[in-house]
Amino acid sequence: MTFNDIFKSSFLENAASISVFDMILTIVLSFGIGVFIFLVYKKTYRGVMYSAGFGTTLIALTMITAIVILAVTSNVVLSLGMVGALSIVRFRTAIKDPLDIAFLFWSIGAGIILAAGMIPLAIIGSVCIGIILLIFVNKTSNTHPYMVVLGCTDHDAEMRAKKFISENVTKSTIKSKSAVKGAVELNIEVRLKNDDTDIINILSEMPGVSSAVIVSYNGDYMG
């Protein structure tokens, strides 16, 4: 192999297969769509603890996917090697909200469509998806669900507390109950009237109630 053969290698030829304009345009547009996805995710988040890291991941995922697909579309051999390399990647983080999966697929799909050259489809499609999510996800009822964790010392205190709760909320449902000698713990889903959480102060002062905690949650319960 001569010195000239090195410069004529396919590796150096592939470096010029993608124009600088295409690279910059793909990176800028993927960043813009990624930021839009991030803002929609932040606006439609329904959980208790917001994760800023997941939102930033959506931006990075859109850009990374677009860059990878842009490289793959320029070389068939590279596409086969990329499939083999990415097959070892495992996503082991637990997804608690099914809506998070939709945002992950949205980021990946937008990056793929954008890098494939279908820029109008990527932009218009992302705007339509964002509007639909903003309308339907934020379309919630006037009352928000809360979880009351109640600790009682005996059965009579439990009955008094449950009666008081049922009379002062719009809806109450017992999700779980655990009992040991001298103590009973209840997890009750409630819908408060006008989101007034002062009910928990009254519960904590009732005879036989050892503890009373109220937590806002998204309506999903695993017990």
Side-chain angles (χ1 to χ4, degrees):
M1 180 179 291
T2 64
F3 186 76
N4 291 330
D5 293 334
I6 296 177
F7 283 92
K8 291 180 181 179
S9 64
S10 60
F11 175 78
L12 295 177
E13 291 175 357
N14 290 334
S17 61
I18 305 174
S19 65
V20 177
F21 176 77
D22 290 340
M23 297 179 190
I24 296 176
L25 182 63
T26 301
I27 293 174
V28 171
L29 289 178
S30 61
F31 174 75
I33 293 177
V35 171
F36 176 73
I37 297 174
F38 165 73
L39 294 176
V40 174
Y41 171 75
K42 187 175 182 180
K43 189 69 176 178
T44 59
Y45 184 75
R46 301 176 302 172
V48 178
M49 299 295 292
Y50 169 74
S51 175
F54 184 81
T56 306
T57 300
L58 295 175
I59 301 176
L61 189 60
T62 306
M63 298 181 67
I64 293 171
T65 304
I67 293 173
V68 170
I69 298 301
L70 186 64
V72 167
T73 54
S74 65
N75 192 306
V76 177
V77 177
L78 180 61
S79 64
L80 298 176
M82 193 68 70
V83 171
L86 295 178
S87 64
I88 65 175
V89 177
R90 297 290 185 272
F91 187 76
R92 299 184 181 274
T93 303
I95 301 297
K96 297 181 180 179
D97 192 347
L99 193 60
D100 292 347
I101 301 178
F103 278 98
L104 289 174
F105 275 103
W106 182 10
S107 298
I108 296 173
I112 293 174
I113 296 172
L114 183 63
M118 293 177 280
I119 297 177
L121 178 60
I123 296 176
I124 297 174
S126 295
V127 171
C128 292
I129 294 173
I131 293 175
I132 291 173
L133 289 175
L134 288 172
I135 293 175
F136 286 94
V137 175
N138 291 331
K139 188 178 180 181
T140 57
S141 59
N142 295 329
T143 57
H144 301 284
Y146 291 88
M147 185 68 70
V148 174
V149 182
L150 196 63
C152 303
T153 57
D154 52 42
H155 177 72
D156 293 336
E158 174 190 349
M159 298 304 295
R160 288 194 300 268
K162 289 196 297 184
K163 182 180 179 181
F164 174 79
I165 291 175
S166 62
E167 292 176 349
N168 290 273
V169 299
T170 57
K171 180 182 178 181
S172 64
T173 306
I174 298 178
K175 291 294 186 177
S176 70
K177 176 180 178 180
S178 60
V180 295
K181 187 175 182 179
V184 178
E185 182 179 278
L186 296 170
N187 290 321
I188 307 174
E189 178 187 339
V190 298
R191 306 278 175 152
L192 300 178
K193 297 177 181 178
N194 300 321
D195 287 339
D196 186 8
T197 58
D198 289 340
I199 183 176
I200 207 70
N201 300 334
I202 302 175
L203 280 172
S204 63
E205 297 176 356
M206 293 182 64
V209 176
S210 57
S211 64
V213 180
I214 188 169
V215 180
S216 174
Y217 83 121
N218 60 1
D220 298 327
Y221 179 80
M222 295 181 63

